[in-house]
Amino acid sequence: MSLPLQGLSAVVTGAGRGIGRAEALELARLGAAVVVNDYGQPGRGGSPLLEGSRELGGGTGEAAAGPAEEVAAEIRAAGGSALAQCGDVSDFAQARALVESAVTAYGKLDILVNNAGILRDRMVFSMTEEEWDSVVRVHLKGHFNTTRFAAAHWRERSKRAGEPVFGRIVNTSSEAFLAGSAGQPNYAAAKGGIVGLTTSTALALARYGVTANAICPRARTRMTEDVFAGIEQPSGAALDPLAPEHVAPLVGYLASPAAAHVNGQLLVVHGGMVAVVERPRVAARFDSKQDTFTYDELEAVLGPYYADRPAGETFAAAEVLGLKRG
């Protein structure tokens, strides 16, 4: 029996540990050849940009080639095809090299899973410029960089073939964007930007046969060890509800031919549960009785409207934090 991703190649960023590692292993299990990306250069330590931060994927202060190569070796030991690629996705040239490494090794790129990221948590009134810039750079710019070169690859292939090709992008957003996270203005902003990038990319690349979707995963990793420190892991053989392995199957599905009709979507996933997030809808509309609104008219219509709304309600959807398997 053929596997759903047989004959396809994939890039997974930040795949040395945590969610990225689980995603790379799952894509390989489903038949894909995988380029396992993690930050660093062989024989060297962590990034100055990432020094002292909590990361999703790459390592700091360790032999950077280690985690990526370990995952690639695990895939090969199981009979799959994989290679390790060490590079910083927030660097435009290194992102190009990452995409090219898949094309060189496997003849083409079919699947891009953007996962790499860091945290620099701080309240907005005490956040430094570096803490803001580094998180936005790794998450949002990192997603753009790899997407830009993968998209160009698919567009060129499609134009050359005269028909759509196969392409899948799975981006990583966060519940911090959906629910609001008071101590993570940089992270929440970057993750919200990733959703905007995803929906824009989905519309731009649909004609070429490419889909782009985003997930909001919840998992226990090195990056979230403080966040979930109070939630005990189950004893024995039971799978931790916060294990990254709960996230990986959804990524495998979104990367597959079976998900051709799923495009521009946002899904929350964790602990044996997947929730489809509905797009924003207009809650109310007010029209001026003149050519344009005046202050007094706005106060007359918006004042009563917001007075009747629940206290403390914002655009954030905090209820997503209560989602769990039924």
Side-chain angles (χ1 to χ4, degrees):
M1 183 177 71
S2 63
L3 298 171
L5 303 184
Q6 193 71 45
L8 303 178
S9 66
V11 163
V12 183
T13 72
R17 299 183 178 91
I19 293 175
R21 173 183 176 275
E23 291 168 340
L25 293 175
E26 177 68 3
L27 294 181
R29 189 187 70 81
L30 295 175
V34 184
V35 177
V36 181
N37 163 264
D38 206 50
Y39 181 83
Q41 297 176 5
R44 298 184 62 180
S47 162
L49 176 67
L50 308 184
E51 192 67 35
S53 66
R54 287 180 286 150
E55 298 176 67
L56 179 63
T60 55
E62 303 175 40
E69 178 53 38
E70 288 171 6
V71 175
E74 186 175 351
I75 290 172
R76 292 192 295 267
S81 177
L83 61 90
Q85 194 274 358
C86 297
D88 179 0
V89 295
S90 71
D91 181 277
F92 199 64
Q94 292 186 50
R96 182 204 299 265
L98 172 58
V99 171
E100 289 177 349
S101 70
V103 176
T104 299
Y106 302 117
K108 59 184 173 62
L109 173 65
D110 302 294
I111 301 160
L112 170 63
V113 179
N114 283 309
N115 169 75
I118 64 171
L119 286 181
R120 294 287 183 87
D121 294 351
R122 190 89 62 183
M123 298 297 288
V124 69
F125 44 75
S126 58
M127 180 164 288
T128 67
E129 182 179 19
E130 186 277 335
E131 288 166 341
W132 174 272
D133 288 348
S134 61
V135 168
V136 172
R137 176 180 171 85
V138 174
H139 286 275
L140 184 53
K141 187 183 179 186
H143 272 61
F144 161 73
N145 285 346
T146 54
T147 297
R148 185 259 184 253
F149 294 110
H153 169 70
W154 288 319
R155 180 174 179 267
E156 180 183 353
R157 281 176 52 199
S158 177
K159 292 179 70 174
R160 188 167 61 244
E163 60 184 8
V165 297
F166 183 93
R168 297 286 186 269
I169 299 173
V170 182
N171 288 333
T172 306
S173 183
S174 171
E175 292 171 296
F177 150 68
L178 287 171
S181 182
Q184 296 179 306
N186 47 3
Y187 183 71
K191 290 305 191 181
I194 286 169
V195 174
L197 172 65
T198 301
T199 54
S200 174
T201 301
L203 292 174
L205 300 186
R207 71 181 67 181
Y208 304 116
V210 179
T211 66
N213 294 286
I215 63 171
C216 294
R218 188 188 302 179
R220 195 190 307 274
T221 68
R222 289 197 309 157
M223 194 173 84
T224 61
E225 59 187 355
D226 294 341
V227 177
F228 300 125
I231 303 177
E232 293 185 6
Q233 299 188 44
S235 59
L239 183 63
D240 183 357
L242 292 173
E245 286 75 17
H246 290 293
V247 176
L250 176 61
V251 174
Y253 168 73
L254 293 174
S256 74
H261 58 294
V262 184
N263 194 27
Q265 301 299 308
L266 179 64
L267 303 98
V268 176
V269 54
H270 58 80
M273 183 218 71
V274 173
V276 178
V277 179
E278 189 175 27
R279 64 182 177 86
R281 297 184 181 276
V282 177
R285 171 182 160 175
F286 304 98
D287 296 317
S288 173
K289 295 179 181 179
Q290 297 83 230
D291 288 340
T292 187
F293 271 108
T294 64
Y295 172 89
D296 290 338
E297 191 179 14
L298 285 170
E299 195 283 329
V301 294
L302 292 180
Y305 175 76
Y306 281 107
D308 291 336
R309 303 283 286 185
E313 181 185 75
T314 72
F315 186 75
E319 62 271 18
V320 300
L321 298 179
L323 290 172
K324 61 181 181 180
R325 182 178 180 184

